[in-house]
Amino acid sequence: MVDIAVIPVAGFGTRFLPLTKSQPKEMIGIVDKPVIHYIVEEAAKSGIKTIVFVTGRHKRAIEDYFDASPELEYHLEKQGKYKLLKIVKEISNMIEPIYVRQKEAKGLGHAILMAKKVIGNRPFAVLLGDEIIEDKKPLLKSLIDKFETYQTSILSVYEVPWEKVSSYGIVSGKPLEEDPNLLLIEDLIEKPSLNEAPSNLAIIGRYVLTPEIFKYLKIIKPDKKGEYQLTDALKLLSKKDVIYAYKFKGLRFDTGNKLEYLKATLHFAVNHKEIGEDFKIYLKEFASKLS
Ligand code: UTP
């Protein structure tokens, strides 16, 4: 059973500077919730009970967000704002958080290794702290269901335009006859050039991993930028173990990227219960004035 997840949130978010100078990018708001709320919601809906956040300095706001808030709760109760009180209380009850520190931002692979002591010898999920995924069934739940069947590490991938392959970890593999959405991974390569890329299937921020991955996270070498890449450890694991890639076809927003963040904001704003209809009217008017 997979009921624990790791969410690394210790990166600098340099693509979003200067905003991220003193504000964690995972706490940037999308309508009325921070990015990390959407991600934790997906985990909770997928059956995750405990989340190990890998944090760093300047990330206290994340800890406070998932903690109880007695003064605010008292204030809302006194004012009779019971709907808001319920929302606020639900956030601190959504999951059990555990915090570990990554002292230096040495890459995603290194961040996940920091959770080893807490995870121990059990399978676990990974959700990247800046990627929001939207589908009828949560993507993480689909991965966990596949894990229950195949009992081996499973990544999620989606097709990106060929000219974008050099920004992603790319996989190649053979589709399973009985389950064509699942590929048996043959190769993985981090940020390949167009010529090197074996496909345009990019790894996205949801994984279910077996604890064997820690063995490889310990021995990988840093890349040119000094970062330890999870893809490199997965490549080593794939030589010893079967790893699958699940083809995702829903919506994905990398909110660490400014343009993608704005797209996510529009998506959640037009679908928002309270302001969605009014916002659509405004947006149509706004769009009609664009040249
Ligand atoms: P990113 O590569 O998107 O995050 O990592 P980043 O390094 O903060 O972003 P840029 O490129 O400088 O803008 C994906 C997730 O992994 C975390 C990030 O916080 C983000 O949620 N991460 C990344 C860590 O926890 N530690 C790291 O060393 C690197």
Side-chain angles (χ1 to χ4, degrees), residues 48 66-67 74 79 81 83 95 109 112 118 120 130 151 153 165 181 198 201 270 283 289:
I48 297 295
F66 292 105
D67 199 358
Y74 175 71
Q79 296 216 330
K81 294 185 174 165
K83 212 169 143 197
I95 43 108
I112 295 191
V118 182
D130 56 356
Q151 297 290 318
S153 296
V165 288
N181 273 334
L201 289 173
V270 296
L283 208 56
K289 289 183 196 146

Side-chain angles (χ1 to χ4, degrees), residues 8-15 25-26 102 105-108 111 128-130:
V9 291
F12 281 114
T14 54
R15 287 169 295 162
K25 69 171 167 181
E26 298 82 5
Q102 185 188 25
K106 291 201 229 165
L108 178 59
L128 294 196
D130 56 356

Side-chain angles (χ1 to χ4, degrees), residues 13-112:
T14 54
R15 287 169 295 162
F16 234 120
L17 280 168
L19 192 148
T20 43
K21 186 166 175 262
S22 62
Q23 147 107 32
K25 69 171 167 181
E26 298 82 5
M27 287 301 293
I28 299 175
I30 295 196
V31 191
D32 49 9
K33 295 190 281 190
V35 166
I36 194 73
H37 186 129
Y38 293 85
I39 294 162
V40 168
E41 240 169 12
E42 181 189 337
K45 281 186 197 153
S46 305
I48 297 295
K49 305 270 183 285
T50 307
I51 293 184
V52 185
F53 290 95
V54 181
T55 73
R57 291 177 291 284
H58 315 302
K59 299 278 180 167
R60 271 281 305 279
I62 298 175
E63 298 178 35
D64 291 342
Y65 189 77
F66 292 105
D67 199 358
S69 191
E71 294 89 356
L72 174 63
E73 288 167 24
Y74 175 71
H75 175 78
L76 292 173
E77 186 149 21
K78 219 171 74 181
Q79 296 216 330
K81 294 185 174 165
Y82 298 113
K83 212 169 143 197
L84 288 174
L85 178 65
K86 185 167 174 273
I87 292 173
V88 165
K89 279 189 164 174
E90 270 169 8
I91 296 169
S92 53
N93 293 327
M94 214 170 6
I95 43 108
E96 185 206 347
I98 297 176
Y99 298 93
V100 300
R101 285 272 183 135
Q102 185 188 25
K103 289 184 194 158
E104 267 181 87
K106 291 201 229 165
L108 178 59
H110 182 259
I112 295 191

Side-chain angles (χ1 to χ4, degrees), residues 140-170:
L140 186 64
K141 178 79 179 113
S142 300
L143 296 187
I144 291 175
D145 289 349
K146 297 287 173 203
F147 180 85
E148 295 304 332
T149 311
Y150 297 98
Q151 297 290 318
T152 197
S153 296
I154 303 183
L155 329 175
S156 48
V157 292
Y158 92 147
E159 278 186 36
V160 293
W162 278 92
E163 65 275 16
K164 298 263 172 74
V165 288
S166 62
S167 307
Y168 293 91
I170 297 290

